[in-house]
Amino acid sequence: MPRVYVHTFGCQMNESDSGKMRALLGKDGFEATEEIHDADVVIINTCSVREKPEQKLHSFLGRVLPQKRSRALTVGIAGCQAQVDGERLFKKYPAVDLVFGPDAVHRVNDMVRAARERRVLDTEFLDGDAYPFVSDLDPAAQGQVAAFVTIQKGCDNRCTFCIVPATRGDEVSRPLAEVVAEVRRLVDHGVKEFTLIGQNVNSYGIKIPGHPSFAELLRAVHEVPGVELIRYTTSHPRDIGADVVSCYAELPRLASHLHLPVQSGSDRVLRRMKRFYTRERYLEVVAQLRAARPDLVLSTDVICGFPGESDADFDETMSLLERVQFHASFSFRYSPRPGTPALRLLDEAVPEAVAQARLERLQSRQRAIALAAHQSLVGSVQRVLVEGPSAHDEGVVCGRTSTFKTVNFPGSTDLTGSWVDVQITRGFANTLRGERAENSGKT
Ligand code: SF4
């Protein structure tokens, strides 16, 4: 049986695409493998959102391509970097057999077959109507507790720092019935927790017939028997409407965690980023969400050192961190991405050392906020959906709360897929540790 190894860099969207490629190639008899040395086909699914993607790709290819000298091996570069830089990569790496962008994922079987005869380059964007969402299930999802379900691809926003519109094209929403059908099939495979993914999920449905809203989609998924927890990502604060807020009051299986990227706490910087919300509006949305779901935990994304960001702007971001008390923030130093509008602002670039110092200050404060929040949970009993064995400790299993806390506790892997009450004994910056609560049954 031929084997395929897919290596994923980047976000959940790439992880989902990698799963779809494994599923599609499975129909041609390919078995998914975790060992590169076993693979007949190796696909590297690349990311271009942050800097230095090419070094990562280059070092990965340095491990893979020499293997072609001793055995038959097809090597492909997929994903966002392939989309924006495909032709150059195709020329630079003549030993690579195929280079293709995210819109060509559904054609992976044809491309792998064709690559036996000739090299393949496919970075064509598809029109909205022509874009087929792949419904085949990732073989790796079998036996998993949690799965991603793609509800949308691309983005119609043009945040000035972001390369996604160039790599994934315009926004296309997947028909509601198709999303629900995939959720049902995953339930039949034992999946209990679903993360609906898209670049800007809150604008879901605007361009499809009947204009189903994101809130309607949440309600439809919530009704599927067997769905125990729903998450979604990524949200745009401008597009969260009252209908989504009310879902937090009315849908008990909607998780008590939301990732709501703010990017900056300064209105001046938000305007230059073209985010189309203000600090005040962001705080208003947070207040509405917390009124609807008092235990809601928030995480966010922050860019430090966006061109023109002053000390005062950055202080606004720090004060927003204090106001909202995020439990996590994914923060990065601004990195210019090719072809993005913010390149025009580079004459006001923040010196690297200043941006780095701001990033470190923010991350240090964020760690302290998260640690305090986690330590305040010591002694409490948290309900945890067990995902499987801990990656590090034998005899320890790992699960997540509805609030997206990773909890490790001693237990058997038989608990995988069960809800267990865990008494928290220690809180760290990123995880919690606990013991099964007395009288805790699994459900
Ligand atoms: S909403 Fe903005 S940051 Fe998010 S994918 Fe679209 S353009 Fe990029």
Side-chain angles (χ1 to χ4, degrees), residues 49 154-166 168-169 171 198-201 234-239 261 263 273-275 301 303:
V49 166
C155 184
D156 285 348
N157 288 325
R158 295 292 179 264
C159 303
T160 53
F161 54 81
C162 183
I163 198 167
V164 166
R168 294 202 170 250
E171 179 183 303
Q199 242 75 46
N200 180 17
V201 293
T234 301
S235 277
H236 193 300
R238 180 198 58 191
D239 295 324
Q263 308 298 0
M273 289 177 166
K274 289 214 185 321
R275 292 288 287 176
D301 294 335
I303 295 173

Side-chain angles (χ1 to χ4, degrees), residues 194-261:
F194 296 83
T195 304
L196 309 180
I197 57 173
Q199 242 75 46
N200 180 17
V201 293
N202 302 110
S203 66
Y204 170 84
I206 288 170
K207 296 199 285 194
I208 56 178
H211 313 298
S213 68
F214 180 59
E216 282 163 358
L217 180 71
L218 282 176
R219 288 174 188 277
V221 171
H222 194 266
E223 271 175 26
V224 175
V227 169
E228 298 192 10
L229 200 56
I230 306 171
R231 306 184 189 280
Y232 60 86
T233 196
T234 301
S235 277
H236 193 300
R238 180 198 58 191
D239 295 324
I240 290 201
D243 55 349
V244 172
V245 172
S246 63
C247 287
Y248 283 90
E250 292 161 24
L251 305 183
R253 290 184 292 286
L254 179 59
S256 289
H257 166 253
L258 176 62
H259 185 70
L260 193 60

Side-chain angles (χ1 to χ4, degrees), residues 117-136:
E117 312 292 328
R118 61 183 167 83
R119 300 181 71 217
V120 178
L121 171 67
D122 188 340
T123 52
E124 194 191 331
F125 270 131
L126 299 178
D127 285 343
D129 291 348
Y131 183 83
F133 287 89
V134 177
S135 291
D136 303 79

